Amino acid sequence: MDVVSSLKHAPAAQEAEPAGKSSSARVTAERKVVSPPSALSVFVTCILMALLFVFVIVGTPDRWGADLRWALRALAALTLGLLLVIHTRRRYVLPQRTSHRSTKVWGLPEYQVNVLQRTAGQAQISNTSDNAGPAQARIFASAVIYPAHVRQRLTERYDPGQRTLTQLVTIDAQLPSRDVQRLLNTADTATLPRPGIPAQRTTTGNEGFEGGRSDATDATQHPAVILFPVLVPRKGEMVDNLRVLAADGSAVPVLSYRQYLQLVAKVLRTLLDIAYGEDISNGRHPDALDAERTALQAVMRRATTTSDEPDDSEGSNALYRAGHANGRTKLANPAALKLAAQLIKKLSSHYAVVAAVPCPVDGRFVVSYERMMTPTLALAPLSEGILSWLKARARLLLGSRPVDFSISLDNAWTTQSYHLIIDCQDGVFVGVQEAQELVGYLNAHWNDRQSRLEQSFAQEKSGPLLELTTPPPYYRFRRRAGQRYAHFYTRFFPEPREKLPNGDRIPDVRFRFYEVPPGSVFRALIASTAAALLIWLIGFVTSRDPDPGTDVPAFLLVFPAVAAAWLGFDSQPRRLLEGTLAARISLLATVLCSIAASGLFMVYKAELPLLQWKVPADMQILGITSMAWSALMLLALLNASTTGYAYLARTWEFIHLSGRTDGFGGPKEHLH
């Protein structure tokens, strides 16, 4: 089956092949996965822990003596804690940890390489427009190795959800006019005669290759098609819910994994034929065929985590050695061999999601892809400080999750002009946007390029390298003005280089969004202020008359707790923002203070000999003489004051950012 003619509008989903290398599809785990304990074991353990808990609370009869009673309670509490640790470890910790162990998946059988290599040779005989000719091979290889030469503009947009991000990448590409003209001429010709090869129609020779079938197709039935790699992730990386779209929003067919391997084999054979100046399957270049086989094995090898995996450069080195074997120093086209080696080196560690895009006359087209991404939850470690460590855990416990995430600039170097847009929901504004490692990364590449440029001139070369004469990198952030979206822009972003200090790892850009006032902090402020006023009022009266003759204060003190629960914890969030940590802590403090005040009122009304202390030295705190009511009132007042401060500070920050201007004009919002 030919690569393009067999494409159908199937769901455009592509994923990395599972990890491993062997000759079967059977999956074997590297380590034994620990299964959760049985239901009977869990039931017996829970019953035993419940009995121990009751014994710790109830204790023993008084006639047993106080020493024995407390000793048995301590022993029961220790046993309960030990059982709880063991149960938690067996029921939750071990199964979760072992469930993420890496696994091995055996790779494709060895004979598949022979079938793939034979397919590439027969495709060169079947010279139809959908086979990878010189123009199509150059376009595909260049788009994989030098994506910035093809991609003129790339816009990467993220739409945050509650736990996932929807990524939409739009690529504006421009192909070289020479390759476009050759591709169009190829599509208009029924056959593509090659030197020494007669034009004819035949099958593609895919029989036996993972379910391939014969298919003879006339080239005049197909328009010119660009096999464009829209996404080149690392092997082993899953791509979730992928959709590839054309400029008009229609679905674009994507090559399956089998078709992708066929394409790589055809492109590699085409580049090798160009490099050697003839068909390498004529029997005069056995070393080239062996190198081609090694290269295809490297491409077909699936991802693995074992340390004995061959280096990614194995296939490319084999091509280089074959090109200079037997004293050969000159090739018909050394650049084609270099391009083939670079392509194999890239595809040994990565795989391409290839879309079939109709070729326009001017070579300019727009294609986009959309996928779901789940960001990794990064909790602050102790090295960042105890306060940050506690705040991170408190956010999880209280259900407070602000919009705060980092985006890697992996796509920035693949294009000349790069735009990164984070579009959040209404009710938030950009509070922080930073890239701590970005300046060091750009400086490292710029200094290295300047040093290589000076070295090339010092050696009196014919001219500087092309990559050394490109303009310097440029970037900027959209000024924060209280808007809900963030925009990062860069041009001529350098590609990461191995063994370059501070320039070998792509930096991240971090964005943090805050609530637009009033938000959840204002609701927390209302609840905490109401609780503080009610506690002060009832404490003022109760400290003078423990029994005011009514139970209304007890009901009034419950209202702030109910309001706090309704305002902060009742609604189900639909997006990533789930309320600020300050608001959740304030609401929790309001609930606790209100419930404590209601209980304290009932203690005073019943005239129980508890908590009846007076403020020392006959002092009064805001007219309250009771020590218990004074302490409770001060806590409620502190809660309301800190919440009010947080609200005013966040409101001032929003006003300050919204009132700034970038000096470029535009619309204005007026408040009078």
Side-chain angles (χ1 to χ4, degrees), residues 10-126:
Q14 185 87 3
E15 65 181 44
E17 293 300 314
K21 56 167 190 176
S22 187
S23 58
S24 173
R26 183 165 57 91
V27 181
T28 58
E30 287 185 356
R31 296 171 184 164
K32 183 179 179 180
V33 177
V34 178
S35 59
S38 63
L40 179 61
S41 174
V42 173
F43 177 76
V44 172
T45 304
C46 291
I47 292 297
L48 183 58
M49 289 191 296
L51 293 176
L52 289 173
F53 179 77
V54 172
F55 181 79
V56 171
I57 299 299
V58 176
T60 59
D62 294 340
R63 63 177 181 272
W64 288 21
D67 294 339
L68 181 59
R69 181 190 311 126
W70 287 109
L72 292 176
R73 280 185 171 181
L75 180 60
L78 182 61
T79 306
L80 176 62
L82 183 61
L83 283 177
L84 186 61
V85 170
I86 295 175
H87 173 73
T88 303
R89 180 177 175 81
R90 292 183 58 205
R91 179 65 178 84
Y92 299 102
V93 177
L94 290 180
Q96 286 297 325
R97 287 181 177 177
T98 58
S99 65
H100 295 283
R101 299 290 177 91
S102 57
T103 59
K104 281 186 177 180
V105 177
W106 292 358
L108 295 174
E110 293 294 334
Y111 74 88
Q112 296 283 16
V113 181
N114 300 329
V115 176
L116 188 63
Q117 192 176 23
R118 185 173 67 252
T119 300
Q122 294 178 346
Q124 300 300 71
I125 301 177
S126 178

Side-chain angles (χ1 to χ4, degrees), residues 543-567:
S543 62
R544 287 165 172 77
D545 186 0
D547 186 6
T550 178
D551 294 332
V552 173
F555 294 100
L556 289 177
L557 289 171
V558 175
F559 286 153
V562 175
W566 179 73
L567 291 174

Side-chain angles (χ1 to χ4, degrees), residues 158 165 375 404-408 420 422 434 508-511:
Y158 287 89
L165 300 174
D404 185 0
F405 48 81
S406 299
I407 300 296
S408 178
L420 174 61
I422 312 296
E434 59 183 2
D508 295 337
V509 181
R510 184 175 181 179
F511 300 95

